[in-house]
Amino acid sequence: MRTHFSLSQRSYYPWLFAVLVLAVWLILPERSLPELLLPSIGTIVAFVHFLYSQHNQNTERFICLFRDFNARYDQLNNDLNELFLKDGALLLTNQEKQLLYDYFNLCAEEYLYFKAGYVDVEVWRSWLRGMRYFAGNTAIKNLWKGELASGSYYRFTFALIDEIR
C-alpha cells in the first residue's frame, strides 16, 4: 500500500532517529552495550538518512510537478473563468470544449500523480476544491461527466470532486 506524500513528513525524521536509538539502547544487554551500540547507531543513521533522502527526492519531484501543473492551469484559468460565468444552459462551442478537455486532462494527470504518491495531500485537496468550483457550472459538469463515463482519465471519477469538503 502506497502512502501519500506529505511535505510535513520532513519533521518526523529526527524523532524517528531518536526513538530508534532509544529502543536500541533499551534492548541491548549492558554487557554488550559498547560493542553493539556504535554499529547499531550507524545502522540507524544509514536507515534514517535513506528515508530522509527519499523524502527530499520526492519533494524535488513534487516541486517539478507542482510548477508544471500550475503553469498549465495558469494558461487555462482566464478562459475557464469566462466560461464558468456564462449561463450553464448555453451550448458549448468546439473551442470551449477543447479548453475543457485540456482542463479535464490536467485534472486527471494531477490525480494520477497524487495516486502514485508524488503530490502532497493538502495540495491535492486544494486542487479538488478548484475542480468542484468549475463543476458548479452545469454545462461544464455535464461535459465532464460524459467524458468520465468513457473510462479514460486515469480512473479519475466525479465522486472525488463530490467528496471533498
Side-chain angles (χ1 to χ4, degrees):
M1 183 175 111
R2 177 172 263 300
T3 59
H4 289 286
F5 173 70
S6 175
L7 290 169
S8 65
Q9 285 176 340
R10 181 178 60 87
S11 62
Y12 299 147
Y13 298 108
W15 290 105
L16 175 63
F17 175 76
V19 167
L20 290 175
V21 168
L22 181 62
V24 166
W25 179 269
L26 295 173
I27 291 171
L28 287 178
E30 281 186 41
R31 62 188 165 142
S32 63
L33 194 59
E35 298 88 24
L36 295 177
L37 186 59
L38 221 45
S40 297
I41 290 176
T43 302
I44 293 168
V45 165
F47 176 68
V48 173
H49 181 269
F50 167 77
L51 293 177
Y52 190 72
S53 294
Q54 192 81 14
H55 179 76
N56 284 338
Q57 289 174 0
N58 287 341
T59 299
E60 289 172 14
R61 193 173 294 126
F62 165 73
I63 290 168
C64 290
L65 290 169
F66 185 78
R67 285 181 180 154
D68 177 60
F69 290 145
N70 280 336
R72 289 170 56 195
Y73 177 75
D74 285 346
Q75 291 177 338
L76 302 171
N77 188 32
N78 289 336
D79 293 334
L80 284 170
N81 281 313
E82 283 180 26
L83 182 58
F84 178 83
L85 294 175
K86 285 185 176 181
D87 181 15
L90 291 176
L91 292 176
L92 296 170
T93 67
N94 286 338
Q95 185 178 359
E96 290 169 336
K97 285 182 182 179
Q98 189 56 55
L99 168 73
L100 290 171
Y101 295 149
D102 290 343
Y103 178 65
F104 302 159
N105 280 318
L106 174 62
C107 295
E109 288 176 41
E110 291 170 344
Y111 175 64
L112 176 70
Y113 284 101
F114 168 72
K115 196 169 63 171
Y118 295 119
V119 173
D120 183 83
V121 175
E122 289 303 312
V123 171
W124 171 244
R125 287 182 185 141
S126 178
W127 287 345
L128 274 177
R129 287 183 198 98
M131 293 175 209
R132 184 178 63 194
Y133 170 78
F134 288 113
N137 177 293
T138 307
I140 295 173
K141 185 175 187 174
N142 290 340
L143 182 65
W144 206 345
K145 281 190 171 185
E147 282 295 299
L148 291 176
S150 72
S152 53
Y153 298 102
Y154 311 111
R155 295 192 176 154
F156 180 87
T157 65
F158 216 81
L160 293 167
I161 297 170
D162 291 336
E163 291 173 5
I164 192 66
R165 299 192 188 283

